[in-house]
Every structure is written in structure tokens, then in C-alpha cells.
Amino acid sequence: MKGTVLAIDDETASLKFIESALSKDYTILKAENGKQGLEKISLKLPDIILLDLNMPEMGGIEFLEKAQSTLKNHFIPVIMITGYPNEEQQIKAFSLGCYDFIGKPISLLELKLKVEKFLHIKRQVEKQIREKEVLLREIHHRVKNNMQIISSLLRLQSRYTKDKQILDIFKASQNRIETMAFIHEKLYQSQDLARVDFTDYVNTLTRNLFTTYGVSTARIKLNIDIKNVSLPLDKAIPCGLIINELVSNSLKHAFPPDKEGEIKIALHLSNGNKWQLIVSDNGVGIPEDIDFRNTKSLGLHLVTILAEDQLRGEINLNRTEGTEFKIRFKELNK
């Protein structure tokens, strides 16, 4: 398969030379300045970029600054073409993702050899990435399977007791294990192995909880306000466990058998850089004399640990209308 080379240069003679030298072996895209180059890569990602340093409207350094994340995420090597770069320009270019320099006037042999060299490196890196993705996907699949085996063992073990308290402990443990197993299942199925589609995940998780506790959504409505949210694994797991504990508590304690109600789950960015997770219900509420941070309830204790230690966030309880837990955290911990 032919590789694609994007040549960005304001000199028509240079573009013609590059096209003449490489068009037999590569598909050539051309741009006359950095601005046009950005437009080109937004439409089609090249395999390699030949970039002039000094151009009107947008030069090579500014192009690298603006395209840095795209070049890094898609591993697109950049070769700078320039007459006389000073040391400061070279250092800046290398720091922004430039791989090498070619001097002007352009040597035909040097041009061909360097394009071939870096295209070969790109292909090798892409192959390694694909292999690692296959391995990582298999790991997620096996972790999910192993967790389901543990859950099944707990289910089998629970058949040897009639004690309701012990049975509740078994059920809670199974839910926690399955909550983590769902994460690995979603990652196994996902195109992005670094982040979890949290919208889909929460829908799967809550459906399972309603089924587990034998509660109909006709009696207790479920309102999920999470749209187009993806989270990294280290945030998705604690958030999933928090939702599992709080929704389980609501289903078990918030609504007497003859009472209807609603459970709400929301996750949004707040103030631009913090996530805000809200889990609430309009049930009987937690009594005023119970401190959720100091209670014998393992579930509430676990929620506090996950919110403050795992997410490094803050957690607050509002008892005005039922029960509302609000957790705020940053995606990146610094």
C-alpha cells in the first residue's frame, strides 16, 4: 500500500521537486503554508510530513505547535526542510515532534532515503501498537472471565446458608465483583482500550442491579443523565463502585414495598475541569443522626474511601429531599 506524504512549502519549485521525486512510490498531498497544512491533516492523516521552516501566514514551528497532539497521537513523523536553521529553531522543532532535517537545496537521494526510513519506522511502531492492543484486549477479556468465575463461586457458596445477613453479604460481594467485571468487558469490546464509555457502562450496571434486587422500573424510576462521557480506567472503576453501592442502598432501604420513587444518576463536567457525580433518590432518606463517614455500613464506608482516596475528590451528602450524594473530582490527579 502506498504511503501518503504531505509536503508543506511556500516555494512552488520545492513542491514540484518533492512531487517529481516521490510520486512514483507515494501519494503526495501539497500545502503552501502551515495553515493549509492543518486543513489537509484535518481531512486526511498523512503517513509522513515534509515541512518547510519559514513560510508566510504560518511557519513550520507554529504548525508543529498547533498540530502537536495529532502528530503524537497518530505517530506522524515530521521532517523539516530548511536552508539554514539556527540552533534555537532546531531545538524547538525537535521538542515539538520533528524527527529530522533536510537542507535546501534538497538532495534527491537524501529525500528518498529519509522518507523511506521514517515511513518504515512508522510501520514498525504501528505493528507493535496493534500487537499490544490485541494482547491488552485479551487481558481485559481474561480478567472479566476470572471475575465472573469468582462471582459464580460466591453464588454457589451462598446456597449452603439460609442466614439472611450472610446471604446479603454474598450478594453485595457479587455485585462489587460484577461492577468491576463490567468495566473490563466494556474495554474488551471498545475501540479505545484506555477509556470506558461510561454512559453505556452505567446503563448496563444499573439494569443488573434492578434485576438482582427484583425491583421494577415501573415502581422505582431510573433517571440517568450521563451523555457522551468516557473515563480512564482509574476513574471508571471507583465511579462504578460508588454508583453500585449507592444505587444498591437505595433499592434496599430507600423505598418501602408499597412506595414508588425515583433514583437519579448524573455525571457532568463542572467549572470546566472537575467532574461532578451525583447519585440521589427521593426515598425515606438517611436519618440525621447517622454520619455516613462514621457508620457500620461497609457500603457507605467504601463510598467515602473511593471518593476521597481513589478519586482524590470531595463528597457531600444532602438530605433535604431524600438522599443526594455529590462527589467532585479531577480527571487528572496532580
Side-chain angles (χ1 to χ4, degrees):
M1 185 176 65
K2 272 191 172 185
T4 300
V5 176
L6 171 60
I8 307 174
D9 198 315
D10 64 315
E11 295 181 6
T12 304
S14 293
L15 290 177
K16 286 183 177 180
F17 180 84
I18 291 169
E19 185 173 30
S20 173
L22 302 176
S23 60
K24 180 181 177 181
D25 301 307
Y26 306 97
T27 299
I28 308 299
L29 304 176
K30 295 181 288 184
E32 295 179 357
N33 53 58
K35 185 177 178 182
Q36 288 184 15
L38 291 176
E39 293 171 356
K40 293 285 185 180
I41 64 174
S42 70
L43 297 173
K44 179 179 174 61
L45 291 173
D47 293 301
I48 194 167
I49 294 176
L50 301 174
L51 178 65
D52 189 18
L53 179 62
N54 299 307
M55 295 177 289
E57 291 193 57
M58 184 187 293
I61 296 297
E62 188 179 353
F63 171 86
L64 287 174
E65 289 173 336
K66 292 184 180 298
Q68 190 175 21
S69 61
T70 300
L71 302 177
K72 181 180 178 181
N73 291 339
H74 298 280
F75 189 71
I76 302 174
V78 176
I79 301 173
M80 297 285 287
I81 298 177
T82 183
Y84 304 98
N86 59 48
E87 187 174 325
E88 184 179 338
Q89 287 175 320
Q90 289 189 41
I91 293 172
K92 183 70 172 177
F94 282 129
S95 71
L96 292 171
C98 171
Y99 281 66
D100 206 343
F101 280 80
I102 292 177
K104 285 187 176 182
I106 303 171
S107 160
L108 177 62
L109 180 60
E110 184 182 19
L111 175 65
K112 287 186 173 182
L113 287 176
K114 287 191 174 181
V115 168
E116 183 179 349
K117 169 188 172 181
F118 287 110
L119 188 57
H120 176 71
I121 291 172
K122 176 183 173 68
R123 298 291 191 228
Q124 291 299 110
V125 170
E126 289 176 333
K127 180 182 176 183
Q128 291 172 4
I129 290 172
R130 285 195 297 271
E131 290 172 349
K132 287 180 179 179
E133 285 181 348
V134 169
L135 178 60
L136 187 55
R137 204 176 295 279
E138 180 62 21
I139 289 171
H140 283 304
H141 184 57
R142 293 192 180 193
V143 169
K144 184 264 295 184
N145 285 348
N146 288 339
M147 286 183 167
Q148 288 183 333
I149 290 171
I150 294 170
S151 180
S152 296
L153 290 172
L154 288 174
R155 186 178 294 108
L156 289 171
Q157 188 68 50
S158 68
R159 295 176 183 175
Y160 291 89
T161 182
K162 300 297 182 183
D163 188 302
K164 184 179 183 306
Q165 186 176 5
I166 295 176
L167 287 171
D168 286 344
I169 291 172
F170 274 119
K171 183 183 287 186
S173 298
Q174 282 177 254
N175 286 339
R176 288 164 187 148
I177 292 167
E178 287 174 3
T179 296
M180 291 184 284
F182 285 147
I183 290 279
H184 290 280
E185 182 177 20
K186 294 301 178 188
L187 284 171
Y188 170 70
Q189 297 170 348
S190 172
Q191 294 298 315
D192 185 351
L193 294 174
R195 302 180 74 86
V196 178
D197 180 345
F198 207 68
T199 308
D200 184 50
Y201 167 70
V202 172
N203 278 292
T204 303
L205 171 62
T206 50
R207 281 198 307 269
N208 183 68
L209 289 174
F210 270 71
T211 301
T212 298
Y213 290 102
V215 177
S216 168
T217 52
R219 184 171 74 85
I220 301 176
K221 290 183 172 60
L222 179 62
N223 185 339
I224 299 176
D225 184 14
I226 304 175
K227 296 180 177 67
N228 301 320
V229 173
S230 66
L231 291 177
L233 187 62
D234 65 331
K235 302 301 181 207
I237 287 179
C239 282
L241 287 168
I242 287 170
I243 291 170
N244 172 74
E245 296 300 328
L246 295 178
V247 172
S248 294
N249 278 353
S250 294
L251 294 174
K252 289 188 293 183
H253 306 300
F255 306 99
D258 60 341
K259 181 177 174 59
E260 295 182 351
E262 183 179 33
I263 296 173
K264 294 181 180 180
I265 306 169
L267 179 62
H268 301 286
L269 275 174
S270 173
N271 298 327
N273 63 349
K274 276 194 175 183
W275 287 101
Q276 182 168 271
L277 172 63
I278 299 174
V279 182
S280 65
D281 66 62
N282 59 354
V284 298
I286 298 176
E288 291 288 343
D289 60 343
I290 292 180
D291 180 358
F292 72 90
R293 286 188 173 84
N294 298 289
T295 175
K296 292 181 180 179
S297 166
L298 175 61
L300 291 178
H301 184 56
L302 182 60
V303 166
T304 304
I305 291 173
L306 290 165
E308 295 180 342
D309 296 347
Q310 294 294 311
L311 294 175
R312 299 184 189 178
E314 55 189 49
I315 178 171
N316 293 288
L317 170 60
N318 179 6
R319 311 177 207 233
T320 305
E321 297 179 3
T323 302
E324 179 188 74
F325 280 93
K326 188 178 293 184
I327 297 108
R328 298 182 73 221
F329 63 94
K330 289 183 179 179
E331 182 168 317
L332 297 175
N333 293 327
K334 296 182 179 180

